[in-house]
Amino acid sequence: GENVEQHPSTLSVQEGDSAVIKCTYSDSASNYFPWYKQELGKRPQLIIDIRSNVGEKKDQRIAVTLNKTAKHFSLHITETQPEDSAVYFCAAFDEKLTFGTGTRLTIIP
Amino acid sequence: DTEVTQTPKHLVMGMTNKKSLKCEQHMGHRAMYWYKQKAKKPPELMFVYSYEKLSINESVPSRFSPECPNSSLLNLHLHALQPEDSALYLCASSQPYVGVGRELFFGEGSRLTVL
């Protein structure tokens, strides 16, 4: 089955700086890679997603890059704000969605 | 309506009790899911229903029994649970064949405590 590794497990950045979270996956058949944000006590919510035939996708301050050959994908958040503080999960989909272990992002005002 | 509604929000039960978690969506999605999430861990898939038929069971113990009465409703029946089953149970729905534009929508979850 699919195995998704995510790093780092915790990340603290100064407000206004950029944050990068990296994931690797094992199953070359995985074809869809979403990122979820989960605030404390809340549901996971999709923030951005990418298909395997696309290398990069951007939505305002958030971007995702995918290297299919190397089987890794990354989340980039620019100009971070306090409301970006949350746990972020990457995931890979091949018949079912497998989540990474999560990154707790803290934005320091 | 882009909501997945779960009830109850909190549930405390003894190991001999029988209870049920309920999930409802009105987005016309034909795939529904149960996930279990322990503190500081990612969601773990338990069951997937596609077109009201059970398509994936991730080797979940039989003390958890899913039911999909129709395309909008998903239940999880609980019986003889153990304290280690205490967790947040998340329901989700999507169109079949998850992908860009066919994302997974999660409910707020039911927080279960087994005494």
Side-chain angles (χ1 to χ4, degrees):
Chain A
E2 177 63 275
N3 181 47
V4 180
E5 294 189 359
Q6 183 171 345
H7 299 280
S9 56
T10 60
L11 179 61
S12 295
V13 301
Q14 209 71 36
E15 182 179 354
D17 287 350
S18 295
V20 180
I21 302 170
K22 298 185 178 184
C23 289
T24 60
Y25 62 99
S26 60
D27 188 349
S28 56
S30 289
N31 56 18
Y32 170 64
F33 306 91
W35 286 86
Y36 285 85
K37 175 183 180 182
Q38 189 173 26
E39 296 177 35
L40 191 62
K42 300 282 190 182
R43 75 185 83 189
Q45 289 195 288
L46 181 74
I47 55 171
I48 195 165
D49 55 6
I50 193 167
R51 280 192 303 236
S52 59
N53 60 350
V54 175
E56 185 174 356
K57 183 175 177 180
K58 190 173 181 181
D59 183 3
Q60 299 185 332
R61 297 186 297 110
I62 294 173
V64 57
T65 58
L66 171 66
N67 183 326
K68 195 177 172 185
T69 304
K71 294 193 203 139
H72 64 70
F73 56 116
S74 301
L75 177 72
H76 304 253
I77 306 174
T78 59
E79 300 170 18
T80 52
Q81 299 168 3
E83 54 264 35
D84 295 329
S85 294
V87 177
Y88 290 80
F89 292 102
C90 63
F93 181 82
D94 171 33
E95 297 184 347
K96 61 183 180 181
L97 203 59
T98 302
F99 286 85
T101 48
T103 296
R104 181 171 299 279
L105 174 63
T106 302
I107 307 303
I108 305 164
Chain B
D1 182 2
T2 57
E3 282 218 350
V4 177
T5 304
Q6 288 186 245
T7 57
K9 288 187 174 13
H10 300 273
L11 178 63
V12 179
M13 61 187 290
M15 289 189 284
T16 58
N17 291 159
K18 283 185 183 180
K19 297 285 185 184
S20 297
L21 305 181
K22 296 185 184 301
C23 175
E24 189 169 4
Q25 58 89 13
H26 294 288
M27 293 179 276
H29 291 165
R30 300 307 297 274
M32 295 187 77
Y33 311 76
W34 281 114
Y35 282 85
K36 174 182 176 180
Q37 187 176 28
K38 301 280 266 185
K40 299 184 181 180
K41 296 290 187 183
E44 286 179 48
L45 184 64
M46 300 175 71
F47 302 104
V48 181
Y49 274 83
S50 183
Y51 294 98
E52 296 91 68
K53 287 185 171 34
L54 184 64
S55 59
I56 295 178
N57 175 343
E58 290 288 284
S59 303
V60 178
S62 60
R63 58 186 185 267
F64 294 92
S65 175
E67 178 195 19
C68 189
N70 60 53
S71 59
S72 301
L73 294 174
L74 184 66
N75 298 322
L76 186 63
H77 302 298
L78 314 170
H79 175 53
L81 294 193
Q82 304 296 310
E84 58 264 30
D85 296 322
S86 298
L88 181 67
Y89 288 84
L90 292 162
C91 174
S93 72
S94 74
Q95 296 294 356
Y97 313 115
V98 169
V100 173
R102 297 192 299 276
E103 67 188 80
L104 216 62
F105 286 87
F106 283 93
E108 291 286 4
S110 292
R111 187 163 298 282
L112 173 67
T113 303
V114 182
L115 300 176

